[in-house]
Amino acid sequence: MLPDLHKLKEESQKRIEDNLSLELRFDDGTKQKILELYNAKFSDYPASLQDGLIKINNKHGQTAYLPFNWFIRIKQCKPLIEGLSVYGSYVDQLRSILADKTLRALPKVEWLSSAEIPPDEKHALQDFIDRTFSEKTDRERFNLFIDGRSWLEIKKPADNSLSGKKLNRSSSDFIASCITNQCKLINDTAGKLEHFIKLYLAVPDLRDIIDDVPEMTASDEVESKVSMKVTINHTKKKDFLNTSLNKIVYGAPGTGKSYSIKNGLDENNLIRTVFHPDTQYSDFVGSLKPIMLDEFVGYEFRPGPFTEAIIKAINKPSHSISLIIEEINRASAAAVFGEIFQLLDRGNDGHSEYSIDVSDPDLLAYLNSKTYGYFKDGKLFIPSNLALLATMNSSDQAVMPMDTAFKRRWEFSYLKIDYANASEGELNIPVSSIDNHSTLTIKWSTFAQVINEQLSLENVPEDRLLGHRFLNENELEKDPEGSLKGKLFMYLWDDVLRHGQHSTVFKEDVELNDGETTRLNTFGHLVNAFEKGKAVFNDTVEQRLLDVHNQSQAK
């Protein structure tokens, strides 16, 4: 059903009248993002930032200024803009039916009786309405749209002329002229408001930004960079989206831990970091760092990924935000989290059950400057729309142990080895001359399963086995032999079988072409023998590979 433009117009007018003093507060990063979206959409109008404006230039060197706070009016008129855009799609169809002269006359009060519109054009328009809209209400509403009084103002009562641009213009043009009048904008550059409206309609990212930017009343005086004399309409805790989760995914290398975490998540709402042995609290949360100010050295707070995630979650309360921590146990996790360790306990509402007093004044100032004073009480918490997702491989040699108190605050999810979802590809495996075979071509999934079964017989833990995606499709397609010797052999030799267990999988000695036998004492010996096309796997593994190969050939 077509939207009721008269109702949408009245609602927009009321929202504007009731909130004339409201403004949107954009931080520098948000302004830069909007500028990038603008330049991508309007490449013919080179734009730059200037104070609270986007400055644009046309091909004639003329300049216009688009205030960011026009977006508060666009936001207040959002339902009307979206409603008019529905009608605009039907106007686009009329362009092939009606003459341009007729479209220049529309909308027109009491258009059916207007002498400006030829009878055949009236008939064509009425026929279009009757054919297009089966519901009586829709036909009446489209007639009112063509009449114009449902969404425009009477400019001259004497002749019933309407304010706003005509239907021969683009949809964004006549929508923009309607909104300009609704907002009562008296501005030399109001003609470019349609650029912002086009962006708002066409770019979902921009709509998300505008919907989430904090609203506040205007203020003549700013007390400081952080504390401003404004009334901010902060989102209440109960109104945050609840997607709270503290989750660690673990499993054998190559089981797809990183993929499973990010799969299905919006990249625009992800913040990702990787822990390593030197990662500290100051890296994760942030700290004061030196910067050059002309020829002088100054200091400013540089946020870490945790702080960035908190800010994004506070400023986008209706979105699910995720902080992804890869290899969380490569650093001392409890030390890296420091005092924010307390925030990991979540209440029933998804927010941190216990908030903490922010002890670092620079961190607190930065948080408030980016969230318009949301943490002005000095209390920090993890909001319910922020999920903490991490990966870890407990078999890695460089891992740090996690204490029980830290682990208790996380949900653990184990990823099993799933051969059905293994990487597609094949390996050429040299074997001894059994049944006239010298090389076997075998699927990666089958090879991994045979090796894992052999390792399991020697009580090798499951998290040290070969994940089904230990070698990926790209490696198996471009250089399977190189990946086998350079990646898989090294993992087995140096990590899994490093404590005198090499013979679990590999031969102890190999006969070379000259009749000499060489022992596989080192990784170098292993690689050298493999490169010469020699069978390097022990008899048990080799026989199992041959059995599987013969079974597949028999099918």
Side-chain angles (χ1 to χ4, degrees):
M1 180 175 290
L2 289 175
D4 183 344
L5 293 180
H6 180 69
K7 179 181 178 182
L8 294 178
K9 173 185 169 184
E10 288 188 332
E11 290 173 348
S12 294
Q13 288 174 334
K14 187 174 190 314
R15 275 191 295 271
I16 292 171
E17 290 168 2
D18 291 348
N19 299 279
L20 279 174
S21 62
L22 273 185
E23 294 181 358
L24 297 177
R25 293 296 183 184
F26 298 88
D27 61 32
D28 292 341
T30 304
K31 290 179 181 178
Q32 185 63 40
K33 178 64 176 177
I34 293 175
L35 177 66
E36 292 170 2
L37 294 172
Y38 184 92
N39 279 326
K41 181 72 174 175
F42 302 106
S43 56
D44 292 340
Y45 292 86
S48 58
L49 292 178
Q50 183 171 317
D51 299 325
L53 311 167
I54 286 183
K55 176 184 175 182
I56 65 172
N57 296 286
N58 64 16
K59 60 185 178 181
H60 303 297
Q62 297 170 316
T63 300
Y65 297 91
L66 308 183
F68 279 98
N69 267 306
W70 274 354
F71 279 118
I72 185 62
R73 300 296 175 241
I74 293 175
K75 184 176 181 179
Q76 290 167 334
C77 296
K78 176 182 177 181
L80 178 58
I81 293 172
E82 293 177 342
L84 285 168
S85 69
V86 173
Y87 285 85
S89 65
Y90 292 105
V91 173
D92 290 339
Q93 297 178 41
L94 284 174
R95 300 188 196 285
S96 62
I97 298 172
L98 301 179
D100 183 69
K101 183 178 180 180
T102 301
L103 291 171
R104 287 177 180 273
L106 299 175
K108 184 71 176 177
V109 174
E110 298 179 352
W111 63 275
L112 277 170
S113 61
S114 172
E116 285 186 56
I117 304 173
D120 59 330
E121 293 284 279
K122 292 178 185 176
H123 176 76
L125 177 52
Q126 189 63 65
D127 181 62
F128 170 82
I129 295 172
D130 293 339
R131 285 187 294 102
T132 304
F133 305 106
S134 58
E135 297 291 332
K136 179 182 177 182
T137 301
D138 285 343
R139 293 195 293 272
E140 290 174 348
R141 287 180 178 177
F142 199 81
N143 267 293
L144 290 172
F145 169 74
I146 298 298
D147 178 276
R149 284 175 291 183
S150 63
W151 58 287
L152 292 172
E153 304 293 335
I154 297 291
K155 183 169 58 177
K156 295 180 181 179
D159 58 4
N160 275 337
S161 61
L162 297 163
S163 62
K165 295 180 179 178
K166 300 300 183 180
L167 300 187
N168 66 309
R169 304 291 291 269
S170 68
S171 296
S172 59
D173 280 343
F174 66 71
I175 292 173
S177 66
C178 170
I179 302 306
T180 302
N181 283 302
Q182 288 287 303
C183 300
K184 297 178 171 54
L185 292 176
I186 304 174
N187 193 297
D188 292 339
T189 60
K192 286 293 174 285
L193 175 63
E194 79 271 10
H195 282 196
F196 276 178
I197 292 175
K198 282 181 181 178
L199 275 176
Y200 193 76
L201 288 171
V203 183
D205 284 352
L206 180 66
R207 294 199 294 274
D208 290 343
I209 290 171
I210 301 307
D211 288 347
D212 292 335
V213 168
E215 299 175 0
M216 58 184 70
T217 58
S219 174
D220 295 327
E221 181 180 358
V222 177
E223 293 181 345
S224 69
K225 185 178 180 181
V226 177
S227 177
M228 295 178 290
K229 285 186 176 179
V230 292
T231 301
I232 304 174
N233 294 333
H234 283 142
T235 304
K236 295 179 173 62
K237 280 188 174 183
K238 66 181 179 64
D239 295 325
F240 276 77
L241 182 69
N242 188 352
T243 54
S244 62
L245 183 64
N246 303 334
K247 182 177 181 179
I248 295 176
V249 176
Y250 69 105
T255 47
K257 296 183 288 294
S258 296
Y259 175 80
S260 71
I261 278 186
K262 75 177 184 66
N263 189 33
L265 298 179
D266 182 356
E267 283 289 337
N268 294 322
N269 292 326
L270 292 185
I271 293 176
R272 184 180 284 105
T273 188
V274 181
F275 280 9
H276 55 82
D278 291 331
T279 301
Q280 299 177 13
Y281 174 87
S282 58
D283 301 311
F284 187 51
V285 178
S287 65
L288 274 183
K289 294 186 178 179
I291 59 169
M292 290 302 300
L293 300 172
D294 297 325
E295 69 273 23
F296 302 103
V297 177
Y299 290 86
E300 71 175 12
F301 185 85
R302 302 286 183 85
F306 177 80
T307 300
E308 290 178 338
I310 290 287
I311 291 169
K312 185 180 283 283
I314 292 296
N315 288 335
K316 302 180 77 172
S318 61
H319 292 73
S320 178
I321 310 300
S322 300
L323 172 60
I324 295 179
I325 305 170
E326 301 280 6
E327 307 289 352
I328 190 171
N329 59 335
R330 279 184 174 270
S332 176
V336 172
F337 273 75
E339 61 185 1
I340 60 178
F341 168 87
Q342 181 75 18
L343 305 181
L344 294 175
D345 282 315
R346 305 283 192 128
N348 292 332
D349 59 1
H351 300 292
S352 294
E353 188 168 1
Y354 310 105
S355 60
I356 62 171
D357 294 308
V358 181
S359 58
D360 182 349
D362 299 305
L363 169 61
L364 182 60
Y366 186 84
L367 284 168
N368 280 316
S369 71
K370 296 299 183 182
T371 60
Y372 306 99
Y374 203 96
F375 300 100
K376 61 185 179 182
D377 61 355
K379 302 287 187 181
L380 180 62
F381 67 97
I382 296 176
S384 61
N385 63 327
L386 176 56
L388 274 59
L389 308 172
T391 67
M392 78 173 193
N393 179 9
S394 57
S395 69
D396 199 299
Q397 295 179 42
V399 300
M400 300 286 287
M402 286 185 181
D403 63 62
T404 303
F406 185 82
K407 290 193 292 186
R408 184 176 60 80
R409 288 164 168 81
W410 295 80
E411 172 187 325
F412 283 78
S413 176
Y414 180 72
L415 284 190
K416 298 183 293 184
I417 298 172
D418 182 5
Y419 300 111
N421 289 314
S423 305
E424 294 289 338
E426 296 179 329
L427 295 169
N428 293 318
I429 307 297
V431 295
S432 302
S433 298
I434 303 176
D435 297 333
N436 297 319
H437 288 292
S438 59
T439 301
L440 289 180
T441 299
I442 194 164
K443 286 185 176 181
W444 154 251
S445 58
T446 303
F447 175 81
Q449 188 169 1
V450 168
I451 296 298
N452 285 342
E453 288 173 355
Q454 183 66 14
L455 295 174
S456 298
L457 290 174
E458 296 297 321
N459 298 317
V460 173
E462 189 172 349
D463 61 0
R464 298 178 73 84
L465 302 183
L466 301 179
H468 50 276
R469 299 191 64 83
F470 188 94
L471 297 183
N472 60 45
E473 277 93 351
N474 187 52
E475 293 168 323
L476 290 166
E477 179 182 353
K478 292 186 174 180
D479 187 16
E481 280 70 35
S483 300
L484 183 62
K485 70 180 180 182
K487 182 176 179 179
L488 190 143
F489 281 4
M490 179 178 287
Y491 174 67
L492 293 175
W493 190 276
D494 286 345
D495 292 332
V496 181
L497 306 172
R498 63 197 304 257
H499 298 296
Q501 297 174 288
H502 297 140
S503 60
T504 300
V505 169
F506 299 109
K507 291 181 180 294
E508 293 185 358
D509 50 62
V510 172
E511 184 176 331
L512 301 179
N513 294 332
D514 54 11
E516 293 186 8
T517 298
T518 182
R519 293 192 66 81
L520 302 183
N521 291 327
T522 67
F523 181 70
H525 292 156
L526 173 67
V527 170
N528 183 55
F530 178 77
E531 289 176 344
K532 290 182 178 181
K534 299 302 177 182
V536 297
F537 293 104
N538 66 28
D539 292 345
T540 304
V541 172
E542 190 172 280
Q543 187 60 57
R544 179 59 181 145
L545 290 172
L546 283 165
D547 291 343
V548 172
H549 175 78
N550 292 334
Q551 289 171 11
S552 65
Q553 293 295 308
K555 291 181 180 179

